[in-house]
Amino acid sequence: MINTTQLVVRTDNITIEWLEAQGYTNTHNFPNGYSFPVFIVDLANKEMASTNTTCMAASCSCGNSPIVLSFGQVKQNY
C-alpha cells in the first residue's frame, strides 16, 4: 500500500527537477552531495527531505514496507 502523506522516491535529477517545477521545496538542495538512493517527499507540506539507512531500517522494523517509487510512478500518480 502506498503511503498517501509521504512518498519514498528513487533519487535522480529528473524527479527532483520535476518536483521543484510542481512547487515542492528542495530544502536540502538535492542532489548536491546526496548519495542515498532514496529521499522522502512530504505531500502535505510539498517538501523533499533526506533519509538514511537508520531511518529506513526503523520504519521497516515497525512493520512498514516502503514502496520506492520511480519518476514515472510519481508523475503518473501524483
Side-chain angles (χ1 to χ4, degrees):
M1 181 172 160
I2 293 177
N3 183 328
T4 58
T5 59
Q6 291 185 340
L7 308 177
V8 179
V9 179
R10 185 173 297 126
T11 302
D12 69 56
N13 291 345
I14 294 170
T15 305
I16 293 165
E17 290 170 6
W18 185 81
L19 286 167
E20 288 174 324
Q22 303 308 306
Y24 283 80
T25 303
N26 186 354
T27 56
H28 294 143
N29 197 24
F30 297 130
N32 297 337
Y34 187 71
S35 60
F36 201 68
V38 298
F39 63 95
I40 306 300
V41 176
D42 183 331
L43 297 173
N45 295 313
K46 292 193 85 169
E47 295 178 336
M48 295 178 251
S50 63
T51 190
N52 58 47
T53 304
T54 304
C55 292
M56 296 305 291
S59 177
C60 290
S61 71
C62 291
N64 297 321
S65 295
I67 298 170
V68 178
L69 302 175
S70 67
F71 170 65
Q73 291 168 310
V74 171
K75 190 174 178 182
Q76 180 181 15
N77 294 305
Y78 301 95

